[in-house]
Amino acid sequence: MSVMDYNKIEDAVLKKAMEFFKDNAVKFFGINTKITAPAETEIKNIDIKTNYTDYLFYTDDGNYLHFEFQTTDKRDDIKRFLYYDASLFYKEKRKVRTIVIYSADIENVETNIDAGSIKYDIEAFFMRNLDGDAKLKYLAEKINNGEHLTNEDILTLTLVPLMSGKESRSERTIKSIELAENISEDTEKLQCLSLLYALFEKFGDSYSKKKFMGVISMTEIGRMLREEGKEEGKAEGKAEGKAEILIKLLVKKFTTVPKEYRDSIKKLPEETIDVIAIDIFDLKDIKELEKYFK
């Protein structure tokens, strides 16, 4: 998949995923509240450092509902969530309710912090309690029979990789993608693939991320995005447009891209830009870009 297609997913598909998640997540996770609108997930603290929450929404009581997806259990995680929530409260003086969804390989976690005058609690939802294999079998039968999927079915299909199961998370992710591609109704298919992409950034490893990009590029949504990319490329100049989009993706990943790197990217041939776009998941440091400039 080209960098232009990737950008289309970032800007359009993630927006669709956020809207669907907003409308259906509270019912799926059994949360007694009503979401009214997505909230800005970028948090700038007083030191002008930037952080991002996973999902953040306004609720009908005027407060925040904050979701985090975790595939690891590190002691510093809950401290990070406290930092996010404190920053949000400092910014708008809204109360924050934080739900952390833990993948199947996590069983016991620290859910509160006692920092003296600060007492902080999260609500943990353990995906190990859901049988991913059974869910996949049920959904496969429904999809293969051409039956209509409910919103709960769609959210279930996209969350299967985080549930318990005999296969690895990566294997179940690919099965979910391939199953989504077999959905006969276009709107349901788009919703499933959009959500899978949005969540995959959180729980996919490097290998399965590349596999995912290869699979999605052959799906209906991939074909649609390629056509959109072609039209955009005609309008602004193909290579130049790809360079600008790649720079935006790198800024999203590393927060900032030095001017000399930006200038070098703009001089790269289209083929090299495509290679960087494919490798972007594996880049750990912005300096690794230098190998593509030689």
Side-chain angles (χ1 to χ4, degrees), residues 72-249:
T72 60
D73 177 25
K74 301 175 183 176
R75 286 187 174 274
D76 285 343
D77 286 338
I78 191 169
K79 296 177 184 177
R80 177 164 52 88
F81 304 149
L82 168 59
Y83 175 80
Y84 289 166
D85 292 350
S87 299
L88 288 167
F89 182 79
Y90 179 86
K91 179 183 177 184
E92 292 193 25
K93 304 298 185 291
R94 297 174 187 267
K95 292 182 180 179
V96 187
R97 181 179 179 182
T98 297
I99 316 293
V100 184
I101 295 95
Y102 289 97
S103 61
D105 47 342
I106 299 174
E107 185 171 7
N108 296 310
V109 297
E110 183 180 8
T111 60
N112 59 78
I113 289 178
D114 183 351
S117 60
I118 300 173
K119 304 292 189 296
Y120 177 70
D121 294 275
I122 61 162
E123 298 174 46
F125 188 99
F126 296 102
M127 298 297 284
R128 68 182 291 113
N129 296 326
L130 301 179
D131 187 341
D133 293 335
K135 300 286 188 185
L136 264 181
K137 182 179 179 181
Y138 164 77
L139 291 169
E141 290 177 355
K142 224 176 168 182
I143 291 170
N144 292 336
N145 291 331
E147 297 179 39
H148 168 69
L149 297 184
T150 65
N151 288 344
E152 184 177 358
D153 288 336
I154 292 171
L155 196 54
T156 298
L157 179 57
T158 62
L159 292 173
V160 159
L162 297 180
M163 300 177 188
S164 61
K166 296 179 181 178
E167 297 180 313
S168 70
R169 190 163 61 236
S170 295
E171 289 171 325
R172 276 177 287 133
T173 299
I174 299 304
K175 281 192 174 181
S176 296
I177 298 164
E178 293 171 341
L179 196 54
E181 172 59 5
N182 291 328
I183 297 172
S184 57
E185 209 285 314
D186 288 341
T187 301
E188 294 174 5
K189 181 188 296 187
L190 181 61
Q191 287 170 334
C192 279
L193 290 171
S194 301
L195 279 165
L196 277 167
Y197 181 87
L199 296 175
F200 196 68
E201 180 63 27
K202 287 285 137 220
F203 59 72
D205 55 69
S206 296
Y207 168 76
S208 52
K209 281 178 180 178
K210 286 186 177 181
K211 179 77 172 176
F212 176 86
M213 297 305 289
V215 171
I216 202 172
S217 68
M218 293 183 285
T219 64
E220 183 60 33
I221 190 174
R223 289 190 287 273
M224 180 183 70
L225 293 171
R226 281 196 296 277
E227 289 304 311
E228 291 177 357
K230 288 177 183 176
E231 292 302 314
E232 185 174 321
K234 291 176 184 177
E236 57 182 271
K238 199 169 182 183
E240 293 83 356
K242 284 189 175 186
E244 290 297 332
I245 292 167
L246 177 60
I247 290 170
K248 289 179 181 178
L249 292 176

